[in-house]
Amino acid sequence: MNERISRLRKQSLEVKPYISLERAKLLTKFYRTNSDNDSIPIKRAKAFKYILENKEICINHDELIVGERGPQPKATPTYPEICSHSIDDFRILNSREKISFLTSKETMETQESEIIPFWQGKSIRDKIFDKVDPAWKIAYKAGVFTEFLEQRAPGHTVLDDKIYQKGLLDFQVDIQNSINKIKSENSNENLGKEDELIAMNISIEGMLSYARRYAEKAIEYANIAKTPQRKQELLKIAEICSRVPANAPQNFHEALQYYWFVHLGVITELNTWDSFNPGRLDQHLYPFYQSALESGEYTQVEMKELLQAFWIKFNNQPAPPKVGVTAQESNTYTDFCLINLGGLTSQNKDGVNELTYLILDVIEEMRLLQPSSMIQVSKKSPNKFIDRALKIIKSGFGQPSVFNTDMIIKEMLRQGKSHLDALCGGASGCVETGAFGKESYILTGYFNLVKVLEITLYNGLDPRTNHKVGIESGDPLKFESFNDLLEAFERQLNHFINIKIKGNLVIEKLWADHLPAPFMSVFIDDCIKNGMDYNNGGARYNTSYIQGVGVGTITDSLSALKYHVFEKKTIDLSNFLKILKSNFNDNSEFRNILLLNTPKYGNDDDFADDILKLVFEMFFQAVDGKPNYKKGHFRINLLPTTVHVYFGSVIGATPDGRKSGVPLSEGISPVQGSDKFGPTAVLKSAAKIDHSRTGGTLLNQKFSPQLLNSKNNLEKIRYLIRAYFEMGGHHIQFNVVSAATLRKAQKNPEVYRDLIVRVAGYSDYFIDLGKQLQDEIIQRTEHQNNQ
Amino acid sequence: MIELNKIHQDQQNLNQQGYGCFFDIKKFALNDGPGIRTTVFFKGCPLKCSWCHNPESKSFEPMEYSITDSITEEIKVIKVGKVESIKEVFATILQDTVFYQQSKGGVTFSGGEPLAQIHSLNSLLKLCKNKNLHTAIDTCGYSDQSNFEKILDKTDLFLFDLKIANEKEHIFHTGVSNIRILENLQFLVENNANIEINIPLIPNITDSYENLNALSKIIKPYSRKINLTLLPYNILGKDKARRFSIDYILPEARPQTNSELVKMANVFQKNGINTKISGLS
């Protein structure tokens, strides 16, 4: 990378994230002073416009792509209309060792005197906890599930190619056409639609003025620029900002700047979970790349520099910190932007192009936490493409992860999406499948499958608190067969899933009613056409996911019960439960049998894997196809982010030999250390579930760097990927770090500041992870090649 | 000797009944032939190489060893080797078929010495060939020629070990003469078998230039038909012997340096033998 990029990158790495109340203050001021009797969407749009018209304009020294969400890089806003941080929250954020956010005294004072008093009781979080059932709260508190939408907005969508063809002025025309059509129809169904469309229009006005202010600022800086070169650059920036996002981009630089404005708009409007990203970047930018090379307008080197500058902008925006800091549930600076590379074109041809390789070069050189990246591998993808990505993976920073395009398409077709929309889609967040630019596919929360088993084994009681949290699914001591146990588990599972879904219907409605997202709605088909907000079912497809967690742990636990209690009859259930309750105190021998001589998932052993299939089927049947609030459906996927640590902390010892409080297995990976026959057996086991009936599964494989040292072995990893995808696997990611290195990093964090590891669906700085998670990553099986 | 014959007899009986004695089955084996492979280790070897890196695999029957756990320091008794039915072993082999197909890999029979259990080996090879799997045999070459005849048409690749050129030295370090081994190698070459020769480089035993030059002369006539791989010394054997409390008579030695390895390879290359060094890309 050149000197400029190297400097900007260093700055991005070194600046400490801090809390900025700029957005909160502007928003509060707007709501306090605006007395217009507007509908909610219009008021939201006006507030958005007000923020963009008044927030500080930031052009960093020497940069080429402009725009920050806060007044400076790493200045992290809050969203008090969603949830309001308490002063205690801020103190913890300021002082905690990991994922800290500097919070000044002034910020604390403003929060206390201005922000909290205004938003108390009005935030959506307050409304949610006010409206949900007591049964929901009991299950939530017991750790049966989490809820995404209590602190962050239902985002989780990705942009398609529309902004590269249309400017915001063109979208305004579309909006006007839709208004005209609605007016001409004069139907009852159209109530509120006009307001929503007007709101979209106002939000566009806000963005146009924001871009204009950047153009003006750039000219202002150009006039006082220290060098003629910088002056030229600033004038160029001014020119670009006065063309986009108002108009469709004409060249590579404009395309990137346009996207970046849209990105800032979306993450300023709300704190959307699994942040918005450009999606299939190599596809979208390829026409600009080609024409630049043909006309000579930009060289490859220049375009690479622009991409690198673009990468830094992502890294400058840490994920907004949570409130009621539990520090365990998904705590990270990363906002899960996942750039998709390769895959198939809209014409069903191999999508890998020259720009794909250039972007891979950028990823390799930048080594930044954000944005994250992935490769889509279809049967048509060339080996060269996978091998290039493996070379980056081998360097051990957890990117890119590897996805099966053919399976992603199959999943979308099963959910009823069109073939074209499926071809243009991909995966985002950790591993979640979506139709880019056309779907709201929100994650609603993680679901603790293992906790449900524990509650089943106590006939509805939570042994941690002795409170009744579930239904009486039957006295387990009276179960005569393994089937009796499974049936009880299924009843308990359905009970909690129903509570979760019922809660989500309430929560989704609250979002639709109170916090529409008119700006984001502009970019997601068919919100304009339908005159409906993204948060109100305006998208072409509306999916609500529930993410199952702990499949490895629950499979091994049920396997142990089946094997020892019901088949070998080496122990009865009553004694087994006593041993669990004692956390294997004085029973290390029995625990060893459970750990070493019991069929386990991840070994291509049908005894265990058939149980996984049963659990999967129950979970799938309980969730899939249930209607959500937005006329779409609930679906399942299997991923944990980092919640397997929290979920493990609320569960006592489990029949698989796991001790009380220890993290659960993550994604669809086997329980840490229980896979004894290497990666082929793990992949075989993992492929036994039908991935096409999920919206994504997450499989983590850890390799020691030695294994990937020779070219010959790297090729074999490619075969491994191809074979897994041939069998129908959705996703695989590789951690390539030796345990020894990780232990060193744990001891001397300061030396390993930039050590990035794959956590679970995303990469993170190792030293920022909690000790427990660090230990867990160290323990994950290393597939050493002993020969 | 009588005892050994008895064991052989037992082994033969076991083999006739559709069982074999195995030491390990390793999936995702990357260094035993092309592609992703499963390597089946037969237990028992007619050679007694002082440097053997699987010393616990030498005997022809399952054995119990006391080993000390490296973390807890507890002493555990573990059983090395298992009598398994050919059917079971083949079922395990078949589990990774999808990976063999993707990678043009297959199965490698290693040991111990697979040909020492010729009946089981032959049955497994037959089953593999019925399923069109690529087969490789990792052999020390010490077996009746009739055994090689039996498996010739079912073996896609022979990984043939050569160790010491001088017969007396060979007897001293491995317990057997190398005449039969060299005859078998010639037999395979004459029958157009696909052969890769492996030479384990044991410091001061096999890696002397005198020995390497002599081996090079032996291989030279076959140089158009075979490839050679040099296997650098590693301390695995010594470490395993320690863990299994097996006497390890080899003196302390260090692995060859890269430049030494290149020089050693050169001995063969200058005789026109296609030579590579394992682990160096």
Side-chain angles (χ1 to χ4, degrees), chain A residues 18 20-27 48-60 63 66-73 75 77 106 206 209-218 220-221 260-261 264 268 313 317:
Chain A
Y18 71 96
S20 157
L21 289 186
E22 182 192 49
R23 180 188 182 280
K25 283 199 286 192
L26 288 170
L27 183 84
F48 175 73
K49 184 164 173 264
Y50 181 77
I51 294 170
L52 292 187
E53 281 171 347
N54 291 286
K55 77 189 293 303
E56 246 179 76
I57 298 296
C58 168
I59 298 178
N60 295 305
E63 73 177 356
V66 296
E68 295 289 340
R69 178 179 50 183
Q72 282 173 338
E106 194 199 334
S209 110
Y210 184 57
R212 243 185 338 262
R213 293 174 64 216
Y214 266 96
E216 286 159 10
K217 193 70 155 184
E220 189 187 316
Y221 282 168
W260 189 246
F261 276 129
L264 288 177
T268 299
K313 298 310 287 189
Q317 325 299 326

Side-chain angles (χ1 to χ4, degrees), chain A residues 508-750:
Chain A
E508 285 177 26
K509 182 170 168 19
L510 283 170
W511 278 96
D513 290 348
H514 296 281
L515 288 180
F519 182 72
M520 183 163 71
S521 301
V522 169
F523 305 98
I524 304 300
D525 297 329
D526 302 311
C527 293
I528 294 178
K529 200 170 128 199
N530 294 334
M532 282 161 79
D533 193 85
Y534 179 89
N535 286 346
N536 192 28
R540 186 173 302 169
Y541 309 109
N542 291 279
T543 308
S544 301
Y545 281 112
I546 298 178
Q547 306 97 252
V549 175
V551 291
T553 308
I554 193 170
T555 300
D556 292 357
S557 294
L558 285 167
S559 169
L561 290 167
K562 183 181 185 191
Y563 191 76
H564 294 293
V565 177
F566 296 104
E567 289 197 357
K568 299 264 166 187
K569 298 193 197 297
T570 49
I571 185 169
D572 61 32
L573 192 54
S574 154
N575 282 319
F576 205 143
L577 289 177
K578 272 182 207 150
I579 291 173
L580 293 184
K581 206 149 200 188
S582 79
N583 200 19
F584 301 108
N585 256 348
D586 308 321
N587 279 295
S588 64
E589 215 170 296
F590 181 61
R591 182 162 178 259
N592 273 338
I593 291 171
L594 293 175
L595 290 176
L596 301 173
N597 295 322
T598 306
K600 293 202 181 267
Y601 167 66
N603 296 296
D604 197 8
D605 175 349
D606 282 337
F607 186 95
D609 298 345
D610 283 348
I611 293 172
L612 167 72
K613 279 155 78 178
L614 284 174
V615 173
F616 176 87
E617 191 63 29
M618 286 178 194
F619 183 49
F620 174 80
Q621 294 296 348
V623 175
D624 188 78
K626 300 252 167 86
N628 66 10
Y629 176 74
K630 293 179 274 197
K631 298 205 169 79
H633 297 98
F634 279 90
R635 308 283 184 199
I636 63 164
N637 46 28
L638 300 171
L639 66 111
T641 315
T642 61
V643 84
H644 57 296
V645 176
Y646 161 66
F647 275 177
S649 75
V650 299
I651 303 174
T654 40
D656 61 334
R658 173 191 148 280
K659 285 197 166 181
S660 177
V662 170
L664 305 179
S665 62
E666 49 85 26
I668 57 165
S669 314
V671 169
Q672 295 78 348
S674 71
D675 48 322
K676 307 279 189 222
F677 299 101
T680 59
V682 173
L683 301 188
K684 282 281 305 285
S685 282
K688 286 179 193 175
I689 54 169
D690 183 354
H691 295 238
S692 75
R693 294 198 295 169
T694 73
T697 59
L698 183 147
L699 182 65
N700 215 330
Q701 280 283 291
K702 187 158 175 275
F703 287 108
S704 64
Q706 301 94 297
L707 185 74
L708 303 181
N709 261 348
S710 81
K711 197 181 155 207
N712 198 11
N713 283 0
L714 218 53
E715 185 181 50
K716 287 171 185 176
I717 303 296
R718 189 224 302 148
Y719 294 136
L720 211 56
I721 294 167
R722 293 271 198 199
Y724 183 51
F725 289 177
E726 176 79 32
M727 291 187 286
H730 170 87
H731 153 274
I732 184 167
Q733 66 191 20
F734 301 95
N735 250 330
V736 188
V737 183
S738 71
T741 304
L742 295 178
R743 282 199 195 92
K744 276 188 219 154
Q746 211 173 21
K747 274 193 197 136
N748 307 301
E750 63 286 353

